[in-house]
């Protein structure tokens, strides 16, 4: 059984920083890419950042220059370093992984971690 577990959310003042982690476990052969999404109340889920197994990254315009996605393959973990946080970054942050498991490719989601930025 594959699991994705996020951690690192919390309450921070505007201008502050947080680092989110997403750790995958289970009978995973490899990962193709992983994403961080966020969803604020009443809003659509937004793709924030992506990273491939080769290390290529991509970011939403709203977070470029402030957020950094990275991976530690030895720890099966992807991170989202969030700097200069703004109140509009407040949301539940979820990670999604596109994985090779038991001979097929599937998407898996974590449970989400709340990030709240106060003004």
């Amino acid at each position: 059984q594959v699991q994705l577990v996020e951690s690192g959310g919390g309450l921070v003042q505007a201008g502050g920083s947080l680092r989110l982690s997403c750790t995958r476990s289970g009978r995973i052969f490899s990962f193709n890419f992983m994403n961080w999404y966020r969803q604020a109340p009443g809003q659509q889920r937004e793709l924030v950042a992506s990273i491939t197994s080769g290390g290529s990254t991509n970011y939403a315009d709203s977070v470029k220059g402030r957020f950094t996605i990275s991976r530690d393959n030895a720890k099966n973990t992807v991170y989202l370093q969030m700097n200069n946080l703004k109140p509009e970054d407040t949301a539940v942050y979820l990670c999604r992984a596109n994985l090779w498991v038991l001979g097929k490719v599937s998407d898996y989601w974590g449970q989400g971690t709340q990030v709240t930025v106060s003004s």
Side-chain angles (χ1 to χ4, degrees), residues 18-20 36 48-51 57-59 63-71 78-83:
L18 285 172
R19 189 177 80 156
L20 306 183
W36 281 100
V48 174
S50 302
I51 188 165
T57 59
N58 202 12
Y59 299 92
V63 307
K64 278 182 182 175
R66 300 189 298 124
F67 290 11
T68 303
I69 190 170
S70 62
R71 74 197 194 289
V78 169
Y79 303 97
L80 186 68
Q81 178 66 44
M82 306 186 294
N83 297 329

Side-chain angles (χ1 to χ4, degrees), residues 8-21:
L11 173 64
V12 65
Q13 287 188 329
S17 299
L18 285 172
R19 189 177 80 156
L20 306 183
S21 300

Side-chain angles (χ1 to χ4, degrees), residues 32-33 98-108:
N32 295 318
F33 60 86
N98 184 265
L99 306 172
W100 276 99
V101 178
L102 299 178
K104 67 176 184 178
V105 176
S106 300
D107 285 337
Y108 297 84

